[in-house]
């Protein structure tokens, strides 16, 4: 049996795979109700409850009887799905229950599957409501799930086709274009209807705030607010990536995303700040002491001060900057980037060795971009359809991956780290084994620039990776062809640069990040604002390399003039005629990017298998030779003389930029460029040490931390509440602080039962909020504004027979009703920046004066006045794990 999680009650651990056996499904989530019951959600929509009375009985068994504990708990299990089924119909959907949240303040339980919610009464264990992510109540989810999606039927219907062949007046190119556009458009229509795509509002996280508002996070990055009755209040979105976790504490809310980013909001949903916490999805968050701890899916855990972002962060950043030289390390790596328009051929081994094999012996990373790996109208249409459903690749593409890998001695010297194909475009990367441990977060992207920006005959494929902690992007491009299409080529670049978006965000350590400080985004906004400010992914990288067949030509000269200048190797004169150089100088394309000095002949266009410069196109069209195949880059430098540092982390220079003129397989010549890259990084072990020294020695930080840990002063209107029959009493909690909000929660430390003979039972404690079934306290949690008060209703629930488990046997109602009961409530008060708390004790006495004799009343009074003395103190000592007057760590 595999354990995938557990919850602890008392001294027992309840595992998610509680018991094996037939017809048992895997448990996915747990919650403990305000009455101490354990609720579980499982695959297939199963939801079960293990009552506290059975758990309490199993914990009280003697050593000789403990073998019966598992059987006792198993038999006590209540299957709520079966209880909700009437005449074979269940209102609950058959989807797996992935989230359970206990609304202890209002005695409710929320269960959530991917696309629906159910609201339960925690005391009565009854279903209250079933509704969808859109907030609409829906009791027909089962029937809807069994119906076939009508969108599929719409797309697969075949229209009758006439058998008569009509002579078309449309040319071949136009028919090909129409076919490509039609195929791409059909696939897009189906995908937009959701046939292939997943629902954009699948619930990924669920949490409850101190003010009673429920927050759900979706896979499209949106956050939805719900009130305690399941009414949809608002939807906000600040990030484009999926929500993976939500944590609430005090008056703040933290949201963890699949990108590794964390956002901080207030309880109204206003964004207060955000930072990059991890290089992978943040799957869990928890508060302890004065920190919020975050867990990512690769196992990394980090702690962040609850005050962040705030004044402490500013002090830490300033102090750490002064010590930057102590923890800055520099790394050096050589990167080989190669580009080749292969014209749908498979190159010879000699050509590959000449192009890559020899040059790769001195580099640590090889990135290769190919164009026209495979073309043709049918292939392009199929590639567009595959792209829409997340598929890629072709036989020719796989051949090139294998051939280049063999040339680089893949497996012995190099390892492939990533690849991406879009129709005829292919980009792939290999890292030397000694460098591979320092390369991570590899991700890919593609942008089509062909017909209607939908077909991949033109466009770009990209790879993004983190090298020694710095983001480097490579984009392999193929722009529009023909001499006169300069503006189209510029537009292709602009479209690629603005829209290339990597499917999985790549984030890691921030240059100024510390063990518990943040890099604030400082971008506030209302509910409709989005933190993602529209900056392209490429603009946020430390280094970007563009390579490919850019198709810029030589202008204002004839074919013969170009041939003469090439034969004389007058490349300086030819560069004056280069369209790309002219457009870059005018600021219309590749803004802020650099290129090495061109010392090789134009790489286009050649007759195949003709060696030397005599191979330039001499056919009917006599295309003018041109430097179509290029490599351009930018690094972190804002000025050319900047040195490598944490502020300018990547500085690169070109050591080799040349064409492989002896490769004759294609009408283009392959080009290679070798970069020498210096990378500055922070040694995290040294930085953490410096961080700790600053926190311990800086008096201003210590003073601020002490101020943040102060708990607001509060008063409670009474320490004793007396209830008779079904009376209701009001407990008023007032915040005397004029500056800070206070968060309060009311829990039950335990209860006494005064037996008929006048003796008192021992203090009986429960898990969670621990309320006995005869006592209702609402709301049990809340936020008290400065100078304000909240009222808590304390109510006795008469004839509550569900709680009557005495030694595992349900006792009679009358016997229970005539017993006096007393409960000890603890009002815990906390601030917003620490788990330190102050506790007020309130004793609740429940008696039935109209049903008791005078003698019994006397017994009641004596017990009431005495048993909260020495016995109460003894019980309190034995239950110190349940309460702590003032604690700084949980």
């Amino acid at each position: 049996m595999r354990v995938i999680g557990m919850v602890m009650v008392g001294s027992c651990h309840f595992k998610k795979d509680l018991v094996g056996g037939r017809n048992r499904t895997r448990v996915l989530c747990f919650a403990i109700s305000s009455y101490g019951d354990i609720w579980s959600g499982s695959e297939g929509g199963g939801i079960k409850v293990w009552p506290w009375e059975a758990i309490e009985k199993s914990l009280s068994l003697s050593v000789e009887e403990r073998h019966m504990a598992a059987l006792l708990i198993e038999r006590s299990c209540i299957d709520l799905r079966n209880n909700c089924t009437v005449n074979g119909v269940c209102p609950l959907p058959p989807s797996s229950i992935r989230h359970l949240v206990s609304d202890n303040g209002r005695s409710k339980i929320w269960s959530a599957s991917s696309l629906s919610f159910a609201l339960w009464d925690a005391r009565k264990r009854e279903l209250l409501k079933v509704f969808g992510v859109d907030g609409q109540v829906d009791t027909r989810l089962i029937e809807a799930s069994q119906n076939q999606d009508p969108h599929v039927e719409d797309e697969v219907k075949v229209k009758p086709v006439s058998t008569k062949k009509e002579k078309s007046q449309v040319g071949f190119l136009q028919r090909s274009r129409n076919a490509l556009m039609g195929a791409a458009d059909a696939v897009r229509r189906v995908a937009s209807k959701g046939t292939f795509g997943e629902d954009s509002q699948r619930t990924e996280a669920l949490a409850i705030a101190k003010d009673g508002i429920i927050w759900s996070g979706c896979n499209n990055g949106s956050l939805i607010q719900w009130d305690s009755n399941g009414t949809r209040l608002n939807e906000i979105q600040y990030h484009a990536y999926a929500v993976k976790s939500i944590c609430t504490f005090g008056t703040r809310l933290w949201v963890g995303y699949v990108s590794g980013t964390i956002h901080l909001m207030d309880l109204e949903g206003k964004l207060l700040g955000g930072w990059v916490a991890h290089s992978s999805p943040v799957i869990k968050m928890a508060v302890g002491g004065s920190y919020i701890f975050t867990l990512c899916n690769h196992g990394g855990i980090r702690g962040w001060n609850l005050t962040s972002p705030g004044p402490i962060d500013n002090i830490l950043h300033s102090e750490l900057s002064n010590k930057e030289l102590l923890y800055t390390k520099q790394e050096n790596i050589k990167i080989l980037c190669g580009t080749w328009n292969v014209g749908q051929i498979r190159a010879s081994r000699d050509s590959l060795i000449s192009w890559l094999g020899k040059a790769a012996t001195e580099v640590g990373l090889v990135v290769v971009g190919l164009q026209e790996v495979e073309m043709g109208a049918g292939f392009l249409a199929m590639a567009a359809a595959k792209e829409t459903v997340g598929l890629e690749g072709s036989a020719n593409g796989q051949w090139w991956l294998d051939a280049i890998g063999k040339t680089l001695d893949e497996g012995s010297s190099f390892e492939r780290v990533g690849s991406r194909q879009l129709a005829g475009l292919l980009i792939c990367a290999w890292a030397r084994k000694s460098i591979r441990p320092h390369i991570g977060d590899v991700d890919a992207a593609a942008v089509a620039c062909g017909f209607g920006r939908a077909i991949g005959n033109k466009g770009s494929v990209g790879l993004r990776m983190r090298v020694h902690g710095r983001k480097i992007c490579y984009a392999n491009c193929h722009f529009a062809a023909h001499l006169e299409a300069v503006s189209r080529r510029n537009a292709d670049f602009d479209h690629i640069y603005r829209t290339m978006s990597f499917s999985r965000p790549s984030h890691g350590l921030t240059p100024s990040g510390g063990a518990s400080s943040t890099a604030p985004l400082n971008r506030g906004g209302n509910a409709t604002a989005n933190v993602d400010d529209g900056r392209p992914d490429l603009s946020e990288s430390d280094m970007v390399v563009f390579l490919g067949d850019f198709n810029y030509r030589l202008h204002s000269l004839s074919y013969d003039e170009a041939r003469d200048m090439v034969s004389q190797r007058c490349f300086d004169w030819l560069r004056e005629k280069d369209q790309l150089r002219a457009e870059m100088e005018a600021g219309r394309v590749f803004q802020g990017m650099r290129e090495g000095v061109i010392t090789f002949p134009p790489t286009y266009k050649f007759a195949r298998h003709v060696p030397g410069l005599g191979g330039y196109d001499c056919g009917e069209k006599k295309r003018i030779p041109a430097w179509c195949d290029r490599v351009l880059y930018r690094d972190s430098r804002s000025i050319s003389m900047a040195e490598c540092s944490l502020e300018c982390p990547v500085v690169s220079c070109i050591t080799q930029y040349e064409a492989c003129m002896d490769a004759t397989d294609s009408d283009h010549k392959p080009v290679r460029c070798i970069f020498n890259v210096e990378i500055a990084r922070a040694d995290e072990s040294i930085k953490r040490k410096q961080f700790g020294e600053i926190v311990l020695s800086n008096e201003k930080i210590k003073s601020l931390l002490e101020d943040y840990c102060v708990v607001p002063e509060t008063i409670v209107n009474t320490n004793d509440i007396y209830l008779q029959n079904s009376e209701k009493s009001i407990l008023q909690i007032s915040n005397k602080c004029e500056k800070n909000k206070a968060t309060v929660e009311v829990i039950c430390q335990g209860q006494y039962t005064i037996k008929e003979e006048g003796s008192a039972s021992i203090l009986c404690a429960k898990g969670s909020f621990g309320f006995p079934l005869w006592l209702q306290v609402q709301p049990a949690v809340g936020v008290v504004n400065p100078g304000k008060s909240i009222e808590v209703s304390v109510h006795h629930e008469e004839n509550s027979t569900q709680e009557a488990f005495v030694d595992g046997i349900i006792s009679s109602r009358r016997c229970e009703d005539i017993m006096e009961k007393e409960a000890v409530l603890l009002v815990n008060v906390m601030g917003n920046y620490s788990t330190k708390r102050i506790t007020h004790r309130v004793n609740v006495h429940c008696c039935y004066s109209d049903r008791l004799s005078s003698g019994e009343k006397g017994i009641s009074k004596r017990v009431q006045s005495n048993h909260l003395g020495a016995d109460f103190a003894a019980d309190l000592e034995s239950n110190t794990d349940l309460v702590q007057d003032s604690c700084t760590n949980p």
Side-chain angles (χ1 to χ4, degrees), residues 399-411 414 416 430:
W399 182 91
W400 276 99
L401 291 174
D402 295 340
I404 296 174
K406 187 175 181 180
T407 302
L408 297 176
D409 194 18
E410 181 179 346
F414 284 87
R416 191 193 309 170
W430 286 261

Side-chain angles (χ1 to χ4, degrees), residues 250-263:
T251 58
R252 291 187 165 196
L253 180 84
W254 289 263
V255 182
Y257 295 92
V258 70
S259 63
T261 297
I262 289 178
H263 281 167

Side-chain angles (χ1 to χ4, degrees), residues 347-512:
S348 66
R349 178 167 175 77
D350 290 340
S351 295
L352 291 175
I353 292 175
S354 175
W355 176 36
L356 300 173
K358 297 177 181 178
T361 57
E362 59 183 72
V363 303
L365 183 63
V366 178
V367 180
V368 176
L370 304 175
Q371 306 86 44
E372 296 188 12
V373 169
E374 199 163 349
M375 300 294 282
F379 171 76
L380 294 175
M382 182 60 68
K386 291 168 66 177
E387 278 290 323
T388 310
V389 296
L391 300 176
E392 62 168 295
S394 68
N396 272 6
Q398 188 60 49
W399 182 91
W400 276 99
L401 291 174
D402 295 340
I404 296 174
K406 187 175 181 180
T407 302
L408 297 176
D409 194 18
E410 181 179 346
S412 297
S413 301
F414 284 87
E415 292 183 11
R416 191 193 309 170
V417 296
S419 64
R420 181 68 163 94
Q421 184 172 355
L422 170 68
L425 287 160
L426 175 65
I427 189 171
C428 39
W430 286 261
R432 194 172 291 278
K433 283 193 169 184
S434 59
I435 302 296
R436 183 65 183 90
H438 305 290
I439 296 177
D441 296 343
V442 181
D443 198 15
V447 178
C449 292
F451 300 134
R453 302 293 193 202
I455 307 301
N457 61 317
K458 295 294 188 289
S460 178
V461 285
L463 284 178
R464 179 177 63 181
M465 62 187 68
R466 191 171 289 277
V467 182
H468 289 294
R470 300 300 177 182
K471 286 188 290 185
I472 302 180
C473 291
Y474 309 89
N476 171 33
C477 305
H478 194 186
F479 295 163
H482 305 303
L483 176 67
E484 68 281 359
V486 178
S487 60
R488 287 179 55 196
R489 287 189 277 275
N490 294 350
D492 285 347
F493 166 79
D494 184 66
H495 179 65
I496 290 167
Y497 190 84
R498 287 186 297 102
T499 62
M500 179 168 280
S501 178
F502 294 90
S503 57
R504 181 179 59 83
S506 174
H507 295 305
L509 292 171
T510 55
S512 59

Side-chain angles (χ1 to χ4, degrees), residues 492-653:
D492 285 347
F493 166 79
D494 184 66
H495 179 65
I496 290 167
Y497 190 84
R498 287 186 297 102
T499 62
M500 179 168 280
S501 178
F502 294 90
S503 57
R504 181 179 59 83
S506 174
H507 295 305
L509 292 171
T510 55
S512 59
S516 61
S517 65
T518 62
L521 293 176
N522 294 324
R523 302 186 189 115
N526 52 35
T528 61
N530 196 313
V531 162
D532 300 321
D533 56 5
R535 290 186 298 172
D537 284 2
L538 293 176
S539 70
E540 297 183 343
S541 298
D542 299 299
M543 180 177 177
V544 178
V545 179
F546 273 84
L547 63 156
D549 180 3
F550 300 156
N551 258 324
Y552 287 93
R553 309 301 174 90
L554 299 179
H555 64 90
S556 303
L557 79 167
S558 65
Y559 171 81
D560 292 330
E561 287 175 325
R563 286 292 304 271
D564 289 342
M565 291 300 170
V566 170
S567 62
Q568 298 174 38
R569 303 188 69 82
C570 296
F571 299 145
D572 291 340
W573 187 87
L574 284 174
R575 281 198 297 270
E576 297 296 329
K577 306 294 183 181
D578 180 27
Q579 290 178 338
L580 178 56
R581 179 175 178 175
E583 295 301 303
M584 289 179 66
E585 289 178 350
R588 288 189 285 266
V589 72
F590 289 108
Q591 294 85 351
M593 306 199 77
R594 305 180 180 92
E595 184 181 19
V597 178
I598 297 178
T599 59
F600 51 87
T603 56
Y604 175 83
K605 176 181 186 182
F606 289 86
R608 297 184 179 184
H609 306 297
V610 178
L613 298 179
Y616 280 111
D617 181 23
C618 57
E620 180 181 352
K621 293 185 178 180
K622 286 191 175 181
R623 291 183 176 87
I624 300 172
W627 285 296
C628 292
D629 310 283
R630 313 285 276 268
V631 179
L632 285 80
Y633 77 102
R634 73 148 180 86
D635 52 21
S636 301
R637 290 177 291 180
S638 57
I639 58 175
S640 59
M641 300 302 293
E643 295 183 354
C644 185
S645 65
L646 292 182
E647 295 298 323
C648 180
V650 178
V651 173
S652 57
C653 63

Side-chain angles (χ1 to χ4, degrees), residues 854-873:
S854 58
E856 289 173 328
K857 290 181 182 179
I859 295 174
S860 174
K861 290 180 180 179
R862 289 194 300 272
V863 173
Q864 177 178 303
S865 60
N866 295 328
H867 93 87
L868 286 177
D871 291 342
F872 178 80

Side-chain angles (χ1 to χ4, degrees), residues 231-243:
T231 303
R232 200 176 196 264
L233 301 177
N234 193 18
E235 180 178 352
I236 59 178
Q237 184 168 2
Y238 294 118
H239 200 45
Y241 298 101
V243 176

